[in-house]
Amino acid sequence: MSRAAARNPLATDDGRPTVQELHGDGPFSQAARRWWLREKPAKFSPEVLKTDFYDVLEKQSFGLKALLILENLQFLEKFLWPNFSEDASNVHVILIALMINVKRREGMPVWEHLASPPSHFSVLFRRILSMCIDQTLPLSIRINLLSFIVTAFQSLDSGLVRKECATLVSIAIWHNLSSEEVRNTQLDKYPQTRKAWRAAVKRYDAADDATKIRLRFERSWLYQMVIDFLNLMYKPAGELDDPREILIYCERFIELLTDLDSQLPTRRYVNFLLKDLHVLTAIKLSPLYTSSEDGLIQDLHRLLEHFVHFSIDDITGLQLSREDVRQIHNSRLAKLQRIAFRDFKDKLLILALANFGNLGQPDELYGHLAYLSNDELVQLCKRLALRTSYPKSVKFPIDRAFLTDAIISVHERRRTFQEQAKSMTVLPNENTLFEESFVRDGNYDGSRPLAIPKLNLQYLTVGDFLWRSFLLYRHEAFFGIRQNIEDSLKKMSPKIKYPTMETSFGGFSKMALQITRPSILEVMPPKVGEEKPAAVRAEVSLELSRVSPEVRKEWESLRPDDVVFLLGVKGADDSDKMITNGANDRLSLVENYGIKCLRAAEVVSLGGQCRLHLKLDADMFQVDSENVKAGKLDIYDSVNVIIRRKGRENNFKPVLESIQELTQADVPMPTWLQEVFLGYGDPAGATNLPNTPQTVDYRDTFLHWQHVLESFPGMTIEPELDTNAGAGPPYIISQKPSNPLPKPSKKRRRDQVEETLQVNKLGISTYRLPNMGPYPIDQPKMNSTRFTPTQIKAIRSGTNPGLTVIVGPPGTGKTDVATQIISNIYHNFPNQRTLLIAHSNQALNQLFEKITALDIDERHLLRLGHGEEGLNTSTSYSKQGRVESFMDNRARLLAEVDRLAICLRAPGAHGDSCETAGYFHQVYVPPTWSKFEEFITAAGDSATVTTIREAYPFNEYFSNTPSPMFPDDATSEKALEIAQGGYRHIQKIFSELEDIHPFELLRTPRDRQNYLLKKEARIIAMTSTHAAIKRQDITKLGFHYDNIVMEEAAQITEIETFIPLTLQKPVDSEFPLQRVVLCGDHLQNSPILQNLPLKQYTNLDQSLFARLVRLGVPQINLDQQGRARPTIASIYSWRYKNLTTLPSLHTIPEYSTANAGFKYEFQFINVPDYKGCGEIEPQKHFVQNLGEAEYAVAIFMYMRLLDYPADKISILTPYVGQRALIRDVLHRRCRDNSIFGLPRVVTTVDKYQGEQNDYVILSLVRTKRVGYLRDIRRMTVAFSRARLGLYVLGRSEVFESCFELSEAFARLMGPGEGKLELVLGEMWPTERKEGGEGEVAVMEGVEHLGRFVYEMTVTKVESLKEEEGKGRRRSSCCWRSR
């Protein structure tokens, strides 16, 4: 168990500069004001960098706090980079590297600051490369330069960076291989590498002397860095460099090697060089490896080893199957045996005759090699083409141990990533939960790397992505569990009671209860081939009599499969405080609370007398049972606490099991999608697929002919098939390719959009929608949205096969676009099924409600998951609700069959069942209709409305239509069309009964629900979490789908995006997906994680949507917003390319009138300290600001006094603590007062993404430092929720000086001077125009506004009393008169 590190500076705001520090009298603040934070920057002096900055930083050991102050003062943007040149000093270069590292550490944009001019970046990069191998520089400086290089290789999506990095890992580095023979063998194995090698040699030979020097430097840089690194690993203790700095440098360099090996473009040639240099062996045998105290070097070595030997062909990029891996390994062993038999028969005969299974074991190999002398061992290495010599600069010994390990490293059998993933448990215990690697994550502060994989821009294979995702999701899940356990135990305060040494609990947690030993009820025999029990059932008695009714209800609401944790807690010993001098934070969680054991269990049921039946972790029960047999204590005797978790946090087990299961299978991605998903090949390769239909029926997508013309600017629209220009919808559009473009080059920039055909002509035809019947329900639902040209482009792309990425800024209608795409797919491809995914139930329900409003038969809609209750529809779309609806429709439709039978004079019980109805239809309905058609045909042109009406056989059945079925003024053609519509209505009845028939035959609700999912539903909606939890169940049903439409895609982690692609079994060795449509906005919030260090180091919050955008996959950027006033939209529209406002918005009256009672439509209100206090943090991450809370509620009360509807007002804040405080103030001042009531919602900004309201009051809370609000994505969400009015409460000095927020706040702070300005004498709604004048009152602060609102309230109450009195007097007069 590890000791807890000091408080993590990245977990809270500790260490980050406050406003006072940035604007105070510190040396950096003064220097900033003197040199660049002034109207006209002072003339640059290179010496100043050394004296005023570098020397000061050096004295502070380049501490994070000092660097953060400089970074916040815009040291890089306004001073370092503008003054950089080819002649810049080393100090200048080092300071730039330090600033880049800090920005990366803080998760801020990095390379955009160095983009101009590009030539300067190239100079900077070369200088840093040279300084990295400069042994005269202090190691502390080289660590920071190395961190810069690590950051660069993690940013290959930047063309600026990619250009500089590519030459360092090109095939030219093979000049450093051990021999020409080794190189030629590899070149002969892959002809494409031979071609690349010749091109590199040719380029070198043709270069001038200066270029040759540069090329030699590039091809030798990585090799030299590796040699320097290995020398440091073997550097004797006591020399000049600080041992801790050596350790940190070596850890960081292993991180670099791991990054290089984990992406194919950098791995392709690097990995072979690393194997040739025996890097893994050299690290493993080094003194630093064996002397590492916390094991980080060892863990980093294991991670590097995993990627070096990953099962992939480095050159072709093809994933190797388990059989391929086995054959390659066997071929190496066979080669070793041949050499042993031929050249060392006298000593290695046994090795030559050994079976492969034994020979692949390291111990077995070591025993065989022990027979060889040192010289013979060298000869064996040479015959195996293994390096045996290094440059003279190498300081580590190439001895017997080194060569032996090198041979073993090549020939030992390693576990595949599938075997690694399978061996990891998904349920934690006291060992795995508090494992060093997990605890290390929680203490991460950015100074050292973590030994866990990262989510990169690219992945080696799909299996590699799944392996990384499994490890990282497991880390995230275990982190949350660890936090919950710590929180519960801290509140329970377990202590050891003397002298009995019993454990007592001095506190209470609603998430935990004290229990006695669990009773083991049943241990089921193992399954065939397994040793662990098939299941272990136990019972725990819960003492709920002493808890509050609310807590009791929560415990009684535990559901089957919920995971709970059984702990054996000894408690804290007061004597420990004496040992640690009272500093309990120096102890680990296990030591602090005396955790003896931890076991996870799943809830089976909650029986009478609060007896909780559990299913124990069978793997751990088997281990525990074996320990008891070996004479060890039974850990279940020590169990005395049970801890539960909130339901939304507790779905980790099925999700982990789903990912783990996927790692075991060769997941066959659709061929058209795989390369783009992995990040290779043509970024546009998944769009414009060959199977794109040439003709598509767009039905109600276009409102009229003019809408069609406007939707395709620059294209020629040609009417087809007797269609006249100006004809109405529906429209069928056919593509007419013309003007083929020249064949593209093989080399293509990532940001280059490529097309093979230029389509500038479209054929348009139309048709008349068939009459579907005389009832209102028969009329089709039509779209009324006038889509913009860009929206039409997105709809067309999504309707066509392939990948569509739609970037939807706030208010641009991406949900409407997604809805129309689904509708078009539904009508054009009736045999295809569409899966609808969203991150939250709220977003999914919004999209689903819009789908139900279109012309889509509700029989084909299904909503899975618990969020269905939130649907604002009269019909239930859950599985149970859909089945009940089918059965209700069955009764209704069978009654219609009976009515039709009476009409046709057909005796019998035809409406008894779907089967009898089917027989009735077959015998009576088509023959009756055929007779009518024969009559009409015989009548020919003489047929009139009267003859058609009299001959129509279903007149009696349609006698209940709202209006006469055949109007007197109808033409014969119209009458015939009406008659056909009636017949279609009848046919639909029997079509629906045919669909219902299986539900009639299936008897159990479960069978009916499964049939509904598997066969009947064509549009199935679920959250990404539900897909992950239920993946195994859904797949086993044989569920099939063709398309995926994903809303909120930028808020969904990559693995949660990937799992919905795999909810079906492969067809012809790949998933049969036709379309993947991703709608989202990567410039708003990313996926939210609990483990912030994991987020910062591994990019676990990376969404597939954002990664595809980084890769340059073609995207459609919606460019017209229709939510907010243009003035409000201007606060955030600058972040988007060409984002404008819909012209139609200006014609809506509420957008042209002012906000009643307010001078401005939006305003920033500067809130000073209230009662001498600004922000406070009563507990970790629970930030509050009473002044802003009171101000927000006062504004709400003011608006309500002006008759603003409460449901049109939302109060938002970024912090949970402030949300709780605002709710408290509202409940105290407004809840029980009918004048005010409560606003529509009080919630956090993150929770409100995707929502909107007319008026938003936003409390920013922070008064000391910006905190995580520095992320402009979060502020974009906050500012874009309001339609008509936005009032922001904050501390201006905190936000206006933040570089990332400066543009937004410059726009936000335009109106007013930081004081709320009110217009007197008007009520809501006002007729005052936007920008109109009125009598203005300026509020000096929250107290002033409070008094103002109080006086208004008193006046309002008196007015109401007076009106009430008048009303009573009028009533009394009326009574007396009567």
Side-chain angles (χ1 to χ4, degrees), residues 98 208 224 420 436 539 708 889 1292:
L98 288 169
D208 56 29
Q224 187 60 51
Q420 293 177 34
E436 179 64 44
E539 182 183 84
V708 176
N889 286 342
S1292 57

Side-chain angles (χ1 to χ4, degrees), residues 147-215:
S147 296
F148 177 93
I149 299 298
V150 170
T151 299
F153 275 102
Q154 291 174 3
S155 310
L156 297 180
D157 53 312
S158 167
L160 194 72
V161 178
R162 188 170 60 249
K163 177 184 175 183
E164 303 300 328
C165 290
T167 57
L168 304 177
V169 293
S170 70
I171 197 172
I173 65 174
W174 281 5
H175 277 282
N176 305 293
L177 294 175
S178 56
S179 67
E180 190 173 344
E181 179 187 357
V182 170
R183 180 171 60 244
N184 285 333
T185 301
Q186 189 73 352
L187 294 176
D188 292 339
K189 185 177 179 181
Y190 298 98
Q192 62 268 45
T193 60
R194 173 70 71 181
K195 184 177 179 182
W197 176 259
R198 287 173 179 162
V201 171
K202 184 178 180 181
R203 182 186 176 203
Y204 179 83
D205 292 340
D208 56 29
D209 291 341
T211 305
K212 285 182 178 179
I213 293 173
R214 179 174 59 82
L215 293 175

Side-chain angles (χ1 to χ4, degrees), residues 560-579:
D561 299 328
D562 280 351
V563 178
V564 295
F565 301 94
L566 307 175
L567 282 81
V569 179
K570 177 183 176 184
D573 190 340
D574 289 338
S575 61
D576 289 340
K577 293 184 179 180
M578 298 173 61
I579 298 172

Side-chain angles (χ1 to χ4, degrees), residues 4-25:
R7 242 182 131 188
N8 176 9
L10 291 183
T12 67
D13 284 321
D14 293 347
R16 283 168 172 74
T18 63
V19 174
Q20 289 74 17
E21 289 171 324
L22 294 177
H23 299 287
D25 296 327

Side-chain angles (χ1 to χ4, degrees), residues 35 43-55 79 89 91-92 95:
W35 291 103
K43 185 178 179 182
F44 176 70
S45 173
E47 293 77 16
V48 170
L49 288 178
K50 179 91 169 54
T51 57
D52 287 16
F53 300 101
Y54 185 86
D55 290 344
F79 192 61
S89 65
V91 166
H92 201 151
L95 288 173

